[in-house]
Amino acid sequence: MSSDRFRRAALAAVAFTLILAAPAARAACESWDPVSSTGAYGARPITARDLIELVNFGRPDIEPLGGPSAFDISPDGRWIATVLQRAELATNGFCQALVLIDRLHRAPPRMLDRGGDFLLSTYVEAGHYDSNGVSRLNKARFSPDGRTIAYLKRVDGRTRLWVASLDGRPARAVTPAAIDIARWAWCSTGTAVVYAFRQGGDEAAAAIEREGLGGWHFDRRMVPMLGIQPQIPAPLPEGIAMAHVGDGGAPRVLAADRAALGDDDDISLAQHRAGASGQVAWAARLHNYAFSPLRIEMRRANGSAIRCAASACTGRMLGLWWTGHGRTLVFLRLEGWNDRFTALYRWSPGTGQPRRILETDDVIEGCTPADAEVICTRQGATQPPRLVAIKVTSGEQQILFDPNPGFANLVLGRVERLNWTNDVGRAVYGDLVLPPGYKGGRLPTIVVLYRSRGFLRGGTGNDYPIQLFAGRGFAVLSIDRPALFAQGVRSIASDDAFWQANTRDWADRRSVDSAIQSGLDLLVSRGIADPSRLALTGLSDGSSSVRFALIQSRRYAAAAISTCCVDESSDEVVGPYWVTESARLGYPPAAPVDKKFWLPYSMALNAPKMATPLLMQLADSELLVALHTYTALKAAKQPVDLYFYPGEFHFKWQPAHRQAVYERNLDWFSFWLQGREDPAPVKAEQYLRWRALRDRSPAGRSP
């Protein structure tokens, strides 16, 4: 899709009950022991199950997203509590486990609790509750006395607050069974938790049903692609209550406890961080538009400013914390070629320039200070996330916990990070992944979009399994897209102007397309990529790039997308909200159709020449917006195939669907780029259909 705004507009939940829906099946987590597994199995090729069932901190099966820390440190600094999550293919469900880790290595990790279903994240957008399918970050938090840990657990369709004790007593729920927890915090006394919950969801749904007896008005509540009924207004009223974690009843909610609810682990860099002697630090936008660089600002207790003039204090900041008893500021930022590096700095305000203590191609995120260290998760191109301690004096790293100890035994393709520029001079990088044992020669090559950070799962959305492609004999170029075009336009003064600059003459799409073409040209010149067997893949912004590329060039032998499509029909299927929002982004009105504007980008308008074989694998919630394009391609007898998956959002969350998407993408590219078919009888109909597409397509041929 063309922007985050379209994505978020297109994901309003059909109803409040759908927003809070439980997974299709509950995982049988009793056999999973995340702290005793040694992972001691022999070297073997990586499989889809290995990728899908990776254990992660706080969220399962997701690329690096930044945001709050997925763990907490006890008041005495010794213990780390985190909720591990893992998908389970056998049940199409998820397992989670509350784990206690000794930061000082005096005791082995312990599992305090296990179980709970998928926690779907939601947010309010344009007056509705939205979800993109990403799981909610489930952070465990210590009580002020360090004896108890609270965390979320979803059982029997309700998300409740549970507590576990360090002394080994069984975990238990402490909030009512009929209430879904929206936000929570420990109260100031440490003997209770304060929590917020949404009220009136059932009543709002009933009101919409009653309204339907007299006919629904087609207004901003309507999102036709998600269902022909008004969406429940958001936000719903919030209720606030307290639950005692020990004996006795719940105490009265105090103003300080309400304030604690307000941040809900907010790590906004605009939030003031208090250091020693009352000095505070934060990061502020340099300009009044999205993606503006941030600059660290500070103020002493007397109100006077402390200026950091170093270039390191301005840019893409990820987090900042006080260490050393509040006298040293530690901050994390992206830097270097297209921000490919994660760097950690320390600075003692008023005593000189910030000092970089660590710079790496790995992703470091979710950090929390502890004495002279920051505790973070760290992951690399071939290394899933691990919990590490980084000394703020030297950058020295110590691994505290590896939730996937056997992963190092798997046979992976070799990864090389490459830098290049596009035709407007924008810096681009990508990760080239070659088949295990590659000795040279030209290979069919698949481009995966649109972020390439951290462990290489399957690109943004995790639909295109990079290492499985490499194991099948493909070269893979995982590209991290260049900065948005408007980020280089100095005259921009507002959010609307920023997005319109990206849209005008499709400037941002042209920039990304040039980045893709230049990256492939680099691989062709190195004798790696076979220029007659190039393929594109993408979801969201990556899908937009694929569609634009297929219209601009005939060089691609196959493509696959996971979302489709912003075009001249979008206003009709997304609804009234998108009519207003699309105008702010610089798109013309839906009627009459401005063919001149849409011709560089609409596959429907270009259907007669869209001969590249195209596979669509979509969420059911995004199907309707794709049908205009699919129908046009089918009418033009172009090689297109479409699958959609029930109960899905922008990002597919169900493990069984992830496996099906992986396997079909492998089959699709093997068919079109390698001339291979899987002889499994269950796939006979699939190949019969694909052969028919190949035989009647003017461009169809076996490699």
Side-chain angles (χ1 to χ4, degrees):
M1 306 206 174
S2 69
S3 72
D4 258 5
R5 289 189 172 189
F6 182 84
R7 173 182 65 77
R8 297 180 71 182
L11 290 172
V14 174
F16 188 70
T17 51
L18 175 60
I19 279 289
L20 299 175
R26 179 178 298 173
C29 298
E30 292 78 11
S31 62
W32 180 44
D33 186 349
V35 298
S36 298
S37 173
T38 62
Y41 47 77
R44 59 168 175 78
I46 191 170
T47 67
R49 180 179 296 276
D50 294 323
L51 286 173
I52 295 168
E53 293 189 345
L54 277 175
V55 182
N56 285 279
F57 297 95
R59 287 190 177 104
D61 192 27
I62 197 68
E63 65 185 289
L65 291 177
S69 172
F71 48 87
D72 195 25
I73 300 174
S74 61
D76 64 4
R78 177 178 177 182
W79 301 103
I80 300 170
T82 187
V83 178
L84 302 178
Q85 298 205 29
R86 187 199 71 171
E88 186 177 80
L89 274 170
T91 60
N92 195 31
F94 289 83
C95 299
Q96 73 173 28
L98 174 65
V99 171
L100 190 68
I101 300 161
D102 186 351
R103 189 170 72 88
L104 305 180
H105 292 283
R106 296 173 183 168
R110 282 194 290 149
M111 181 173 63
L112 302 182
D113 187 33
R114 176 172 52 195
D117 296 328
F118 187 82
L119 294 168
L120 181 67
S121 64
T122 64
Y123 50 84
V124 175
E125 178 71 23
H128 307 95
Y129 284 107
D130 292 6
S131 180
N132 57 13
V134 173
S135 68
R136 185 174 178 178
L137 181 68
N138 189 9
K139 176 176 179 174
R141 300 178 214 164
F142 282 93
S143 60
D145 64 8
R147 297 177 181 177
T148 308
I149 303 168
Y151 54 100
L152 294 175
K153 190 172 177 181
R154 187 168 181 83
V155 178
D156 296 329
R158 291 294 184 185
T159 302
R160 303 171 68 187
L161 200 59
W162 286 59
V163 295
S165 301
L166 270 64
D167 61 12
R169 285 180 291 172
R172 69 191 193 283
V174 295
T175 55
I179 291 177
D180 279 289
I181 305 301
R183 295 176 294 124
W184 68 275
W186 281 100
C187 72
S188 52
T189 64
T191 60
V193 289
V194 58
Y195 60 91
F197 55 94
R198 296 169 185 160
Q199 301 182 101
D202 292 340
E203 292 82 354
I208 289 174
E209 185 176 353
R210 289 192 301 271
E211 180 188 348
L213 297 175
W216 288 316
H217 183 252
F218 193 84
D219 53 31
R220 287 175 65 89
R221 298 174 300 163
M222 301 297 297
V223 186
M225 63 178 287
L226 296 179
I228 309 302
Q229 67 181 58
Q231 304 298 293
I232 288 183
L236 291 168
E238 263 194 350
I240 296 179
M242 298 191 78
H244 207 275
V245 299
D247 298 328
R252 183 168 55 90
V253 179
L254 303 176
D257 300 318
R258 287 178 179 268
L261 261 184
D263 44 37
D264 192 31
D265 274 333
D266 179 17
I267 65 152
S268 167
L269 291 168
Q271 185 182 21
H272 291 201
R273 304 294 188 191
S277 305
Q279 62 188 13
V280 296
W282 66 95
R285 280 186 179 187
L286 288 181
H287 309 291
N288 187 32
Y289 60 80
F291 301 99
S292 167
L294 298 174
R295 179 175 58 205
I296 294 177
E297 299 182 0
M298 296 190 62
R299 187 176 62 245
R300 294 185 177 91
N302 62 10
S304 62
I306 306 175
R307 179 173 174 77
C308 178
S311 59
C313 289
T314 300
R316 290 189 62 185
M317 301 295 171
L318 302 179
L320 52 86
W321 311 270
W322 289 101
T323 63
H325 304 290
R327 293 180 175 83
T328 300
L329 189 68
V330 176
F331 58 94
L332 196 65
R333 70 192 300 268
L334 298 180
E335 63 185 28
W337 189 269
N338 195 25
D339 291 330
R340 62 174 279 185
F341 297 115
T342 307
L344 190 65
Y345 285 79
R346 65 188 300 265
W347 180 42
S348 298
T351 62
Q353 299 295 303
R355 176 190 167 201
R356 186 171 64 201
I357 57 175
L358 178 66
E359 184 182 67
T360 177
D361 268 321
D362 287 358
V363 168
I364 298 172
E365 61 180 359
C367 298
T368 298
D371 300 328
E373 299 177 328
V374 285
I375 312 301
C376 313
T377 59
R378 179 170 179 165
Q379 58 180 296
T382 59
Q383 175 60 60
R386 296 183 291 191
L387 191 67
V388 300
I390 303 172
K391 293 188 181 299
V392 299
T393 54
S394 64
E396 179 185 350
Q397 173 190 299
Q398 182 182 30
I399 298 171
L400 298 177
F401 183 71
D402 183 353
N404 299 284
F407 196 85
N409 297 325
L410 300 176
V411 177
L412 304 177
R414 178 169 58 88
V415 180
E416 176 186 357
R417 179 154 284 187
L418 308 174
N419 292 342
W420 67 92
T421 57
N422 68 3
D423 64 358
V424 293
R426 291 296 178 89
V428 191
Y429 75 80
D431 292 305
L432 170 64
V433 185
L434 296 169
Y438 172 71
K439 301 297 184 183
R442 295 197 180 274
L443 299 172
T445 301
I446 299 173
V447 172
V448 174
L449 300 167
Y450 62 97
R451 288 298 179 208
S452 194
R453 300 185 65 242
F455 178 64
L456 297 179
R457 288 174 172 85
T460 298
N462 193 15
D463 277 5
Y464 303 99
I466 292 170
Q467 286 290 349
L468 301 187
F469 283 148
R472 189 68 67 89
F474 296 99
V476 182
L477 182 60
S478 175
I479 297 178
D480 197 273
R481 60 153 291 154
L484 286 158
F485 177 84
Q487 289 178 262
V489 180
R490 295 182 179 274
S491 60
I492 290 175
S494 70
D495 238 15
D496 288 357
F498 180 87
W499 291 110
Q500 289 165 16
N502 288 318
T503 304
R504 191 175 301 116
D505 193 31
W506 303 104
D508 188 59
R509 294 273 65 89
R510 296 184 191 280
S511 175
V512 176
D513 187 54
S514 173
I516 295 169
Q517 300 236 30
S518 300
L520 287 172
D521 289 344
L522 176 62
L523 298 190
V524 170
S525 69
R526 288 182 53 178
I528 295 171
D530 180 345
S532 68
R533 295 187 291 169
L534 305 177
L536 298 176
T537 69
L539 175 145
S540 195
D541 184 86
S543 174
S544 297
S545 298
V546 171
R547 300 194 310 271
F548 189 84
L550 297 183
I551 293 170
Q552 307 305 313
S553 173
R554 304 274 75 80
R555 76 185 296 188
Y556 303 106
I561 56 177
S562 303
T563 46
C564 179
C565 301
V566 178
D567 59 22
E568 67 278 6
S569 71
S570 298
D571 285 5
E572 303 166 15
V573 292
V574 180
Y577 164 67
W578 180 244
V579 174
T580 303
E581 194 68 10
S582 65
R584 294 180 62 194
L585 295 174
Y587 297 130
V593 174
D594 187 342
K595 291 187 178 180
K596 181 179 179 181
F597 175 88
W598 286 111
L599 198 60
Y601 192 56
S602 166
M603 289 203 293
L605 294 179
N606 288 278
K609 65 177 184 179
M610 300 294 297
T612 302
L614 177 66
L615 175 64
M616 300 181 184
Q617 297 200 79
L618 314 176
D620 58 345
S621 64
E622 297 183 329
L623 174 64
L624 187 58
V625 77
L627 292 185
H628 177 65
T629 293
Y630 175 76
T631 301
L633 293 175
K634 291 291 287 186
K637 301 188 184 309
Q638 299 295 11
V640 60
D641 205 6
L642 188 154
Y643 290 81
F644 63 101
Y645 295 84
E648 289 293 3
F649 299 89
H650 195 61
F651 298 103
K652 302 175 187 70
W653 64 270
Q654 297 180 51
H657 292 165
R658 174 80 63 232
Q659 183 180 45
V661 167
Y662 276 2
E663 189 167 343
R664 188 165 289 115
N665 280 323
L666 283 162
D667 289 346
W668 179 258
F669 290 115
S670 292
F671 178 82
W672 291 102
L673 272 64
Q674 296 174 318
R676 293 168 51 179
E677 297 184 15
D678 187 334
V682 71
K683 297 182 180 180
E685 182 180 349
Q686 166 183 283
Y687 288 111
L688 184 66
R689 186 168 58 254
W690 292 356
R691 283 186 227 112
L693 294 178
R694 182 183 62 199
D695 294 343
R696 72 168 181 256
S697 169
R701 58 171 178 30
S702 294

